[in-house]
Amino acid sequence: MALSATLHNFAVHLADVDRGVYQELELRVARHPSETAEFMVTRLLAYCLEYEDGIAFSDGGVSSTDEPAVLVRDLTGRVTAWIEVGAPDADRVHRGSKSAERVAIYTHRDPAKVLAQLTGKRIHRAEAIALYSFDRDFIDSAAAAIERRNTVTLSITERLLYLDLNGIGLSTSVEKHSLG
């Protein structure tokens, strides 16, 4: 019998000063049995850092081969932003770049290794794709604080991220790397 996803609820108070985005979000995040807590935290952070009208977690979650972890659609249903999480392969990034106006990758892994696996591969508009990384200790601490019901305050200013997750305060810089 296949294992089912575990549902996590997040009450998020988002204040992204860099982009002028201030929102109260109620998110239900399904964690696939094969998904690590670190990946789920990174997926949640990517959603919040990319938040705009039309954003959604992909329908298939981490098991989807046709969609990224997070995507943004316009009112016509067209994908405008393709947001990968983790260490996607070059073919996925290439397909996303051809499908959407904008592509971003958020990783909880060593960014040098993620960049190395993508360097030299055929990726449409690689120079326009940004890879964002977080400090590994920050991700590990956030993953350890995850519960089934979570209260999150997330503030971003000058690419510094301040996170209060269930009463535990954490901070990190969001490092930007270029594929091109």
Side-chain angles (χ1 to χ4, degrees):
M1 185 166 107
L3 297 174
S4 62
T6 302
L7 192 60
H8 295 271
N9 293 299
F10 293 89
V12 180
H13 306 280
L14 174 62
D16 188 336
V17 177
D18 293 347
R19 297 186 309 129
V21 175
Y22 305 92
Q23 290 291 323
E24 301 289 324
L25 307 170
E26 292 292 330
L27 302 174
R28 295 175 51 141
V29 180
R31 181 176 167 197
H32 190 274
S34 67
E35 182 178 11
T36 65
E38 293 80 9
F39 187 95
M40 184 178 71
V41 165
T42 306
R43 190 162 56 103
L44 175 69
L45 292 173
Y47 183 99
C48 292
L49 291 170
E50 294 285 336
Y51 183 82
E52 64 179 277
D53 287 340
I55 195 166
F57 293 111
S58 70
D59 291 334
V62 296
S63 61
S64 175
T65 58
D66 297 334
E67 293 183 333
V70 179
L71 49 80
V72 178
R73 293 184 191 276
D74 65 14
L75 294 175
T76 67
R78 186 176 58 89
V79 176
T80 59
W82 181 285
I83 301 140
E84 290 285 356
V85 173
D89 66 29
D91 290 338
R92 281 181 68 90
V93 177
H94 176 73
R95 184 171 59 249
S97 187
K98 291 185 75 100
S99 301
E101 298 166 10
R102 189 172 57 80
V103 175
I105 303 168
Y106 286 82
T107 191
H108 57 291
R109 301 180 184 268
D110 180 351
K113 290 181 181 176
V114 176
L115 286 169
Q117 82 176 25
L118 297 173
T119 300
K121 302 287 176 38
R122 190 182 101 185
I123 299 174
H124 184 68
R125 296 180 303 140
E127 68 285 347
I129 300 171
L131 170 73
Y132 298 99
S133 64
F134 308 99
D135 179 71
R136 184 63 195 190
D137 290 336
F138 168 85
I139 293 293
D140 290 343
S141 296
I146 293 288
E147 299 174 4
R148 295 288 296 272
R149 296 195 178 280
N150 302 276
T151 303
V152 178
T153 301
L154 181 63
S155 301
I156 303 101
T157 182
E158 297 180 7
R159 297 311 287 177
L160 292 175
L161 187 145
Y162 301 94
L163 175 70
D164 183 289
L165 177 58
N166 300 324
I168 297 171
L170 305 165
S171 64
T172 188
S173 61
V174 181
E175 299 295 328
K176 182 178 180 180
H177 314 271
S178 178
L179 295 189

